[in-house]
Amino acid sequence: MFSLLRKIFTWWHNSTIGTWVFTSLNGEKVGEDDQGNVYYHEKKGKKRWVIYNGEIEASRIPPEWHAWLHYTVDETPVEQPPVVKSWEKEHQPNLTGTVDAYYPSGSLNAAGSRAKTTGDYEAWTPNS
């Protein structure tokens, strides 16, 4: 019961009932990425959208699918597979706002104190 209520009234856990109904009536699946996110476009229109597999986090969309969603390219990565560069790294989730977020030393949320200035800073003073 809780799962059904969560699906009806929240959007941040998964797609809502409205999205599911719109997708089933108007959507046509065009592909899926390696994380299980499913991409759709409208049968009789230009809308494009994604149904996330799990947590809804925009940084989980690979660059090639992002380009397709934002009309930068017309071909999906299924039609035109991306060329993997040797310098590319694996995806890392955006942890901002979570317990695991990065806080530099000297931050109010991190233990420690800010490093002292090293003498390369000279305060501006107006000509008197």
Side-chain angles (χ1 to χ4, degrees):
M1 183 66 175
F2 177 71
S3 175
L4 177 64
L5 289 174
R6 189 168 87 168
K7 193 166 194 76
I8 292 171
F9 294 110
T10 64
W11 56 265
W12 51 89
H13 296 293
N14 210 330
S15 60
T16 62
I17 295 293
T19 302
W20 181 81
V21 169
F22 182 83
T23 300
S24 59
L25 293 176
N26 301 316
E28 184 176 346
K29 181 179 174 181
V30 294
E32 191 171 325
D33 65 20
D34 59 343
Q35 295 185 33
N37 301 325
V38 184
Y39 299 86
Y40 295 90
H41 71 89
E42 228 175 345
K43 293 174 188 173
K44 297 177 184 176
K46 293 192 173 201
K47 279 189 176 181
R48 298 175 180 179
W49 66 95
V50 59
I51 302 292
Y52 291 92
N53 178 25
E55 184 182 358
I56 296 176
E57 172 58 53
S59 71
R60 292 183 51 220
I61 297 178
E64 57 274 5
W65 280 107
H66 182 273
W68 178 79
L69 280 172
H70 293 274
Y71 304 96
T72 305
V73 295
D74 291 328
E75 299 86 23
T76 66
V78 174
E79 299 166 344
Q80 184 70 32
V83 178
V84 179
K85 309 285 193 284
S86 62
W87 47 264
E88 288 183 304
K89 294 184 179 182
E90 288 294 316
H91 173 264
Q92 293 181 343
N94 182 355
L95 300 175
T96 303
T98 68
V99 177
D100 299 323
Y102 169 74
Y103 298 111
S105 61
S107 167
L108 295 175
N109 295 328
S113 59
R114 190 172 67 91
K116 304 278 186 212
T117 57
T118 59
D120 59 351
Y121 172 77
E122 184 178 321
W124 178 81
T125 55
N127 294 336
S128 301

